[in-house]
Amino acid sequence: MDKKLTWVPDEFNIVVPSAARMYDYVLGGAHNFKVDREAAERLLAAVPARDMVRLNRGFLRRAILFLVEAGIRQFLDLGSGIPTVDNVHEIAQEADPSCRVLYVDIEPITVAHSQLLLAGNGNAAVIRADLRQPQTILDSPEAHRLLDLTQPLGLIMVEVMQFVPDSDDPWSIVAGYRERLARGSYLALSHFTPDGMPERMAQAVEVFKSTQEPAYPRTHAEVMRLFDGFELVEPGLVYTAQWRPESPQDPGAHPHHSNLYAAVGQKL
Ligand SMILES: C[S@@+](CC[C@H](N)C(=O)[O-])C[C@H]1O[C@@H](n2cnc3c(N)ncnc32)[C@H](O)[C@@H]1O
């Protein structure tokens, strides 16, 4: 691998697979290494990961368009991942170029590549930070520049909270953001669940144990608790494909194969 490539920063871990780079591989991206591809192949043997990421990105797109339609013009995307097509700023700024987006990810290659992609876009930025520290992120210079916390905002936590163990109390982390957001703000979230395919998700959990981010799929009730203080919009917490599909046929016969619950809630 050519270390001079600008998307490869000095500080990164090539020995242990990362969820961000595995996700990039499954989505067909090029920002991954052999260790990531091998782990991703093990994941693909356990669960229908290609369908899972495709359906997850579809939910993300529909949720952003819903939020823009609802009047939201600023977004905080936590665990944003390696940019592919249809990133939050592209979807939102296509609808309204004045939309502002702050991306946050913990993985250095994700951040380096996002910086390249966002160069010249005055209404979007990325920072490397740990989402488990809401105050650090909300008080960062980039948040001050791009986000007005006195106005409603779209908080995006898509396919990321499953990487936060119970011991770090994911529920209080979400509450740490919610308390700082203006009324009328929204939370859009998707999350791994063992409910649909318990045995195969248990195999996926084993694969993630060998990566930088062990995964903790959660039940419907556990994911619902992440929305404490938010009122869910229709249709509530459902499998990704079932969240406001573009056509009635879209969810297909096996929506539980997405292994991801998704919902959008509003802070009232
Ligand atoms: C599966 S990807 C999801 C990417 C994107 N949100 C999406 O749904 O397409 C999960 C991302 O969360 C990031 N991540 C995991 N733990 C994190 C943490 N504690 N703080 C910030 N980012 C984190 C990973 O680096 C990775 O890029």
Side-chain angles (χ1 to χ4, degrees):
M1 187 59 59
D2 185 350
K3 293 248 174 84
K4 290 189 204 118
L5 289 177
T6 45
W7 60 270
V8 182
D10 290 340
E11 183 206 347
F12 74 101
N13 187 333
I14 194 177
V15 180
V16 182
S18 95
R21 302 189 311 248
M22 289 164 64
Y23 191 80
D24 176 66
Y25 172 71
V26 173
L27 272 170
H31 300 87
N32 49 71
F33 299 92
K34 191 163 174 272
V35 285
D36 307 310
R37 294 191 282 277
E38 287 171 351
E41 287 296 342
R42 290 199 299 279
L43 187 67
L44 284 160
V47 287
R50 286 215 166 79
D51 287 344
M52 288 166 63
V53 298
R54 178 180 56 79
L55 294 168
N56 183 57
R57 296 295 294 187
F59 162 70
L60 175 65
R61 178 178 174 77
R62 297 193 302 281
I64 297 302
L65 291 174
F66 171 84
L67 296 185
V68 172
E69 182 76 15
I72 297 295
R73 293 294 179 272
Q74 49 177 358
F75 299 86
L76 175 58
D77 185 1
L78 302 173
S80 45
I82 295 174
T84 55
V85 288
D86 263 2
N87 296 296
V88 170
H89 74 284
E90 291 164 336
I91 301 165
Q93 291 178 351
E94 190 181 319
D96 182 340
S98 73
C99 285
R100 288 161 283 128
V101 180
L102 179 59
Y103 291 107
V104 178
D105 206 284
I106 201 167
E107 205 276 328
I109 286 183
T110 298
V111 175
H113 186 53
S114 302
Q115 280 166 342
L116 286 177
L117 187 89
L118 297 174
N121 189 327
N123 280 342
V126 59
I127 56 172
R128 184 172 177 217
D130 187 335
L131 68 81
R132 288 171 289 191
Q133 294 165 350
Q135 310 313 334
T136 306
I137 290 170
L138 293 172
D139 293 331
S140 66
E142 293 84 356
H144 278 293
R145 180 171 74 79
L146 285 169
L147 306 176
D148 175 357
L149 297 184
T150 69
Q151 297 300 313
L153 164 156
L155 178 63
I156 314 300
M157 300 175 111
V158 168
E159 230 198 291
V160 64
M161 289 308 281
Q162 69 251 1
F163 298 116
V164 178
D166 283 9
S167 55
D168 285 342
D169 197 348
W171 301 279
S172 75
I173 293 169
V174 177
Y177 289 98
R178 188 191 65 232
E179 284 157 10
R180 297 275 309 267
L181 300 186
R183 287 172 67 172
S185 293
Y186 287 90
L187 168 64
L189 179 146
S190 66
H191 196 296
F192 278 0
T193 182
D195 290 356
M197 306 170 91
E199 282 151 29
R200 296 181 70 181
M201 279 304 275
Q203 291 169 26
V205 166
E206 286 305 311
V207 174
F208 278 108
K209 278 185 187 162
S210 68
T211 74
Q212 291 171 33
E213 295 97 349
Y216 307 91
R218 294 193 168 92
T219 63
H220 193 274
E222 290 168 331
V223 179
M224 269 302 277
R225 278 180 53 215
L226 292 170
F227 284 93
D228 278 359
F230 293 91
E231 186 170 288
L232 296 193
V233 303
E234 288 296 324
L237 183 65
V238 292
Y239 287 111
T240 42
Q242 295 170 315
W243 196 87
R244 297 182 180 238
E246 276 161 5
S247 88
Q249 292 76 37
D250 279 359
H254 306 291
H256 66 286
H257 284 191
S258 72
N259 295 301
L260 280 150
Y261 284 129
V264 172
Q266 187 177 30
K267 175 177 171 176
L268 296 176

